[in-house]
Amino acid sequence: MTTHGLIARRRLVVQVGLNRISAADNRAQNHKAFELIVHPEYSVNSIRHDVALIVLETDITYTDYIQPVCLWNRDDDLNAIVGTWGTVVGFGIDETDEVSDTLREASIPVVNHITCIESNRELFGSQLTSNMFCAGNRDGIGACNGDSGGGLFFNYSDTWFIRGVVSFTKPRQYGNYCGTNEYTVFTDVAKYLSWIEQQMGGKDGQSIATGIANGHKIGLLPMSTCGPNPYASREELSKPVLLGYPWVGLVECTAKETFEKRIVCEATLISDLSSVLMGEYDINSPKDCLNVDGQMVCSPPVQTLRIESVIAHTGFNRPIRFADDIALIRLRDRADTSWSNVKPICLPVTSELRSLKPTHVTLTTWELLTGGNLLERTLRETIDTTECEKLLRDNFLIARLTARQICIKPHLNSDCKLSLSGAPLQVVQKVQGESRYVLYGVASVGPNNCTDPIPDIYTNIASYVDWILENIQE
């Protein structure tokens, strides 16, 4: 909760297409909240104007199980719906006073204000306004704890409309559980249509999310030049890379005992990090050229860029599912991107790129233990949450993923190469009409050896774009 009594945006994830809480469902989608828009006249000390909008970081993909509901566009006169039955849906407290594991629905009738107030003058007489209405049958069936914010829907000519949003009801005499033998008060959506429309209109007619995603902050990122790969494609798995991924850097750190630089910085302190090598592809070779298919291919020298600071995500907590396993490195000097082997990769900053759920990805990593080459592993397959969590449970690891992680299918064969922490997950996408590489993940946790049937877990970059942009300086 914030100091204003509202849910903190960073703690809020919207799940759509879900009909059971305890079981992962590949039909469901998780979307992080980009912004919460609370009605300006709402106060935590009052129940009036109890309505808010959630702007999502990513676009919802419509399926047979995920569809939009229509906003009420009929007469806003309450008398038009008094006596009609609507449907309320949610995961609230059930008849055993437990949170329902499955999505449930109830049909309840709308009553007029006089009937509602007379049922409980002390409560409803002081709180009910013209922007609310009451519904229920006072028979133990209705909205309850956990259903707050859920909709009351009406079907007209096979089209569903939302007219109400669950606001409050009278609690039982003992405890804070709702009293299902009382009427439930709903915020009347029909009275807030103009306010909703105002919030949904962004700059130049764009949606809020799109307007922000294409705003001035994106100007910090070189969308016109990011992600090109002009080099020949390599179809062979685990072949050494030469210039093909010019955005991959190698972090150096300093050994405190000898004050000598070393390359392997696994499990070191942030304060030990010293520099980043850009344009490197073989740390053990003094040559600037490689023999590729009988031809000598050369690269420019390597850029060694000193580290100024490291910005770790404040939510990172390794024992808890490796959540928020991401950090930024700020360099003292800018990388020279005029070199052919030093280029930026694109970030999924637009709503279209953020909404992508890649099925096949390109991974790169350093083979530091056996030769120091930068390697690629092409077209690794992503797997859905259900399959991934089963593999994790079967191998006694974390049982649940967060909405901010991507799962990669285990790679159990002779070509296996383990990813080092922070290794990139890349997908070729259309950016400004051209095919570019877009960064969708960084390696977080994975198997210890090539016979371990554990999937690779990557931090989902699309979920952290706003955090990245907030921490980028001009």
Side-chain angles (χ1 to χ4, degrees):
M1 300 292 285
T2 69
T3 55
H4 302 291
L6 305 175
I7 296 175
R9 175 176 60 86
R10 65 180 179 274
R11 297 179 55 195
L12 184 60
V13 174
V14 177
Q15 294 182 303
V16 292
L18 189 73
N19 60 8
R20 187 176 177 187
I21 295 177
S22 64
D25 190 339
N26 56 17
R27 298 178 302 189
Q29 298 175 24
N30 295 333
H31 297 271
K32 183 187 171 188
F34 181 85
E35 182 182 6
L36 301 182
I37 304 175
V38 180
H39 195 281
E41 297 183 54
Y42 172 76
S43 169
V44 293
N45 299 318
S46 171
I47 311 177
R48 300 167 189 265
H49 305 293
D50 186 14
V51 62
L53 300 176
I54 301 175
V55 181
L56 303 179
E57 273 195 354
T58 51
D59 291 339
I60 292 175
T61 301
Y62 295 144
T63 67
D64 290 340
Y65 307 98
I66 302 171
Q67 291 290 321
V69 69
C70 296
L71 287 175
W72 190 267
N73 63 354
R74 307 166 74 88
D75 193 341
D76 66 355
D77 183 6
L78 178 61
N79 292 325
I81 60 171
V82 168
T84 61
W85 291 64
T87 300
V88 63
V89 181
F91 291 95
I93 301 295
D94 61 17
E95 59 273 10
T96 64
D97 284 343
E98 298 291 338
V99 175
S100 176
D101 184 60
T102 57
L103 189 64
R104 308 183 77 181
E105 67 176 18
S107 295
I108 55 177
V110 177
V111 300
N112 59 41
H113 276 50
I114 295 177
T115 301
C116 187
I117 292 173
E118 288 182 346
S119 71
N120 191 323
R121 289 183 177 274
E122 181 180 358
L123 175 64
F124 299 129
S126 61
Q127 298 292 345
L128 203 60
T129 72
S130 60
N131 291 333
M132 307 173 183
F133 65 85
C134 298
N137 216 28
R138 305 185 71 189
D139 58 355
I141 298 175
C144 200
N145 297 65
D147 293 326
S148 181
L152 183 63
F153 309 103
F154 295 85
N155 190 325
Y156 293 97
S157 302
D158 293 327
T159 300
W160 287 91
F161 296 84
I162 182 170
R163 175 67 190 258
V165 176
V166 177
S167 181
F168 72 96
T169 189
K170 183 182 184 300
R172 300 176 198 173
Q173 184 176 0
Y174 301 103
N176 294 320
Y177 283 174
C178 64
T180 51
N181 290 320
E182 300 282 349
Y183 291 119
T184 300
V185 176
F186 293 80
T187 300
D188 192 345
V189 173
K191 304 298 174 61
Y192 292 92
L193 290 179
S194 60
W195 176 77
I196 294 173
E197 290 172 356
Q198 289 173 7
Q199 308 311 313
M200 292 180 66
K203 182 178 178 182
D204 299 328
Q206 297 173 329
S207 67
I208 295 173
T210 304
I212 294 175
N214 291 304
H216 68 281
K217 275 199 170 183
I218 304 304
L220 296 170
L221 302 174
M223 292 298 290
S224 60
T225 59
C226 64
N229 189 353
Y231 307 105
S233 63
R234 291 165 300 279
E235 298 178 357
E236 182 181 340
L237 291 175
S238 302
K239 186 175 181 179
V241 173
L242 178 61
L243 302 180
Y245 300 97
W247 42 80
V248 179
L250 188 58
V251 179
E252 288 186 311
C253 56
T254 303
K256 290 185 177 180
E257 298 81 7
T258 61
F259 296 99
E260 294 180 354
K261 288 186 178 181
R262 63 180 182 225
I263 297 298
V264 181
C265 292
E266 296 278 326
T268 189
L269 297 175
I270 289 178
S271 58
D272 293 341
L273 303 183
S274 60
S275 55
V276 176
L277 303 182
M278 296 299 301
E280 182 63 277
Y281 62 90
D282 185 352
I283 62 175
N284 293 325
S285 174
K287 300 177 181 179
D288 291 330
C289 303
L290 283 182
N291 189 323
V292 179
D293 298 330
Q295 295 183 347
M296 295 301 294
V297 180
C298 302
S299 69
V302 175
Q303 295 182 31
T304 302
L305 304 170
R306 296 172 299 168
I307 294 175
E308 177 179 302
S309 60
V310 178
I311 305 170
H313 197 286
T314 56
F316 174 66
N317 193 334
R318 183 175 292 271
I320 304 178
R321 301 188 297 184
F322 289 81
D324 300 318
D325 188 9
I326 187 173
L328 300 177
I329 294 177
R330 180 171 289 138
L331 304 175
R332 293 186 183 182
D333 304 300
R334 290 181 179 272
D336 186 350
T337 57
S338 66
W339 294 17
S340 62
N341 64 338
V342 180
K343 299 292 182 184
I345 191 172
C346 298
L347 291 179
V349 293
T350 66
S351 59
E352 292 81 8
L353 292 176
R354 292 193 198 192
S355 299
L356 174 72
K357 295 184 180 299
T359 57
H360 291 81
V361 297
T362 298
L363 311 180
T364 56
T365 190
W366 287 93
E367 192 180 26
L368 293 178
L369 300 180
T370 59
N373 287 328
L374 180 61
L375 301 174
E376 72 170 351
R377 295 182 293 163
T378 60
L379 293 182
R380 286 287 301 280
E381 184 179 353
T382 61
I383 55 179
D384 61 43
T385 303
T386 303
E387 182 180 353
C388 187
E389 290 182 346
K390 183 180 185 304
L391 287 170
L392 294 172
R393 287 193 299 270
D394 290 346
N395 290 278
F396 307 103
L397 292 181
I398 53 177
R400 296 295 300 270
L401 297 179
T402 73
R404 296 174 150 199
Q405 292 168 309
I406 296 174
C407 196
I408 307 297
K409 189 174 184 178
H411 190 57
L412 303 175
N413 56 42
S414 59
D415 293 324
C416 169
K417 295 294 184 298
L418 302 178
S419 291
L420 297 179
S421 294
L425 178 156
Q426 306 149 124
V427 179
V428 177
Q429 287 294 300
K430 287 292 184 180
V431 177
Q432 296 183 347
E434 298 182 7
S435 294
R436 312 274 187 84
Y437 276 88
V438 181
L439 181 66
Y440 275 94
V442 291
S444 176
V445 61
N448 294 317
N449 55 67
C450 291
T451 61
D452 198 345
I454 295 175
D456 289 296
I457 307 298
Y458 279 71
T459 299
N460 188 347
I461 292 297
S463 298
Y464 293 90
V465 168
D466 298 313
W467 177 80
I468 293 171
L469 295 180
E470 290 170 0
N471 287 281
I472 289 178
Q473 294 181 353
E474 289 282 5

